[in-house]
Amino acid sequence: MLPTLAQKRRATLTFVLLCVMAFIMYVDRTNLAVAAPTISKELGFSNTNLGMMFSAFAVAYSCFMIPGGWLSDRIGSRKAMLLYGVIWSVATIATGLVSGLIILVIARFVVGIGEAPIYPTAARMIARAIPITQRGTAQGVMHASGRLANALAPLIVTFLILQFSWRAAFIILGVLTLVYMFAMYFILGESKKQVEAVVMEPVKAPTPVHWPTMLRKVWPAAATCFCHGWVLWFFLNWIPSFFTQRYGMDLSKTALFSTFVLLGGTVGTAVGGMLSDWRFKVTGNKLRSRRDLIIFGFLASIIGLIPLMFTQNIYICAAGLSFSFFCSELADSPLWVIGTEVSHEH
């Protein structure tokens, strides 16, 4: 059965809202990395202290992704998105209001709780709205929106810090996030009513998860995601501090070089999704179209890191880092598509 015009419009609206949401989420995810040199100077934090805050987010992100995705299956994507958005935005605001290492670690942990289920929930929404031959591109564009936020976050957050303070930057970003997540909730609600007025869609009861089958299908992709995470988290968390500490840059120059490096990941994510769909159309093989691109991206990313061992030239190192991030992010969208394809209902 072909989708109606109303369903196509809802799918487009949903996709656009998800892209904007991804952009906002990644600004909130990267803001600590940008503010880290300023926070360290004011509060006397070491790199180890910063690592604790970065890790607090990452631990929560890994632990709450599965239960958060499970909850989204139970209560619906729209309600889940609002719940998770409120959690991470309130925690972002709290980050700007508190002092002390332990409290900041807790705040970042809660941000991780809120953001962890966002992409699984978004993948669920895309799998239900986007045809299989376009899901790689859809995932690529949505994730590229997040990577674009990574690239622009040094400029955005630095501007807020210089104009106000690092505390005000977190509060402003948290409030904007809260407003957007409520707006997204109500906009999707109105759109759903319009679709239901045209087409009565049967409500399906959620099917139970058969965990042995699920784990057998997803463990290779999960192991690959684990490896991908090492490179991704380095770029998201440590690039601003890398330029500040290795080259003694001030905040404004660090923002420019960090943006250049992170733009590589933005382009790589979008290109990876498009290439994955193109390979699928050419080969007709879902496994090959996703797998081959992941392997190529991982191996090629090593090339960009080699110059860092032999030169301290800032332009060569920045170019190498940008190329490495581009290649590693070619794998991001295919990995998410694999998740939606091996378990469409969960």
Side-chain angles (χ1 to χ4, degrees):
M1 181 179 177
L2 294 175
T4 66
L5 180 60
Q7 289 172 321
K8 290 180 179 179
R9 287 176 176 173
R10 175 174 170 78
T12 301
L13 175 62
T14 300
F15 178 66
V16 171
L17 289 172
L18 288 177
C19 288
V20 176
M21 181 274 304
F23 184 93
I24 294 172
M25 182 177 71
Y26 262 88
V27 172
D28 288 349
R29 183 178 300 187
T30 315
N31 53 16
L32 181 63
V34 179
T38 304
I39 295 174
S40 297
K41 185 176 180 180
E42 179 178 321
L43 301 180
F45 288 165
S46 65
N47 280 347
T48 303
N49 299 143
L50 292 177
M52 291 175 63
M53 288 189 284
F54 295 148
S55 294
F57 175 93
V59 168
Y61 194 78
S62 62
C63 291
F64 286 89
M65 186 170 284
I66 294 175
W70 175 88
L71 181 61
S72 296
D73 287 336
R74 291 298 178 274
I75 68 175
S77 302
R78 178 169 159 262
K79 292 180 182 178
M81 279 290 191
L82 178 62
L83 172 64
Y84 306 144
V86 169
I87 292 173
W88 112 57
S89 58
V90 170
T92 299
I93 294 170
T95 303
L97 296 175
V98 299
S99 296
L101 177 62
I102 301 302
I103 301 300
L104 284 171
V105 167
I106 294 173
R108 291 306 290 181
F109 186 86
V110 178
V111 173
I113 293 175
E115 290 197 5
I118 290 294
Y119 271 160
T121 306
R124 181 179 191 267
M125 297 168 76
I126 287 176
R128 280 159 169 71
I130 306 297
I132 188 172
T133 56
Q134 300 173 12
R135 287 178 194 163
T137 301
Q139 290 280 4
V141 173
M142 183 185 70
H143 283 256
S145 300
R147 299 299 186 267
L148 179 61
N150 289 153
L152 297 182
L155 300 177
I156 296 171
V157 179
T158 297
F159 172 79
L160 292 174
I161 292 174
L162 293 177
Q163 291 296 314
F164 306 102
S165 67
W166 71 265
R167 294 185 180 278
F170 282 91
I171 295 171
I172 292 170
L173 292 172
V175 170
L176 289 176
T177 299
L178 193 62
V179 171
Y180 180 79
M181 296 308 289
F182 271 100
M184 180 177 175
Y185 176 81
F186 289 113
I187 291 172
L188 287 178
E190 289 300 315
S191 176
K192 183 178 181 181
K193 291 178 183 178
Q194 294 172 6
V195 172
E196 290 175 345
V198 178
V199 179
M200 292 300 295
E201 297 179 322
V203 179
K204 296 181 179 179
T207 56
V209 178
H210 186 257
W211 285 104
T213 301
M214 172 77 77
L215 294 175
R216 178 177 56 81
K217 288 182 176 181
V218 303
W219 80 261
T224 307
C225 283
F226 179 87
C227 299
H228 177 252
W230 283 96
V231 180
L232 176 62
W233 287 103
F234 164 74
F235 280 101
L236 299 190
N237 289 328
W238 290 105
I239 286 298
S241 295
F242 169 80
F243 285 115
T244 298
Q245 296 181 17
R246 189 175 192 185
Y247 298 103
M249 291 182 170
D250 59 27
L251 196 60
S252 58
K253 290 183 179 179
T254 296
L256 290 174
F257 276 91
S258 298
T259 295
F260 171 73
V261 171
L262 296 173
L263 277 174
T266 303
V267 178
T269 306
V271 171
M274 295 175 186
L275 286 177
S276 178
D277 281 345
W278 173 78
R279 286 277 294 166
F280 178 47
K281 292 175 183 178
V282 171
T283 65
N285 187 310
K286 288 190 293 185
L287 173 62
R288 286 183 56 192
S289 63
R290 318 308 185 194
R291 179 198 61 195
D292 295 352
L293 193 60
I294 292 170
I295 294 173
F296 171 79
F298 272 24
L299 294 178
S301 67
I302 299 173
I303 299 173
L305 297 177
I306 294 175
L308 274 73
M309 297 186 291
F310 299 102
T311 180
Q312 291 209 12
N313 183 285
I314 187 170
Y315 298 104
I316 295 176
C317 289
L321 287 167
S322 185
F323 176 79
S324 179
F325 198 26
F326 167 84
C327 292
S328 68
E329 286 302 283
L330 290 175
D332 187 68
S333 298
L335 281 169
W336 280 98
V337 174
I338 288 174
T340 63
E341 288 176 348
V342 299
S343 183
H344 182 72
E345 292 301 318
H346 301 286

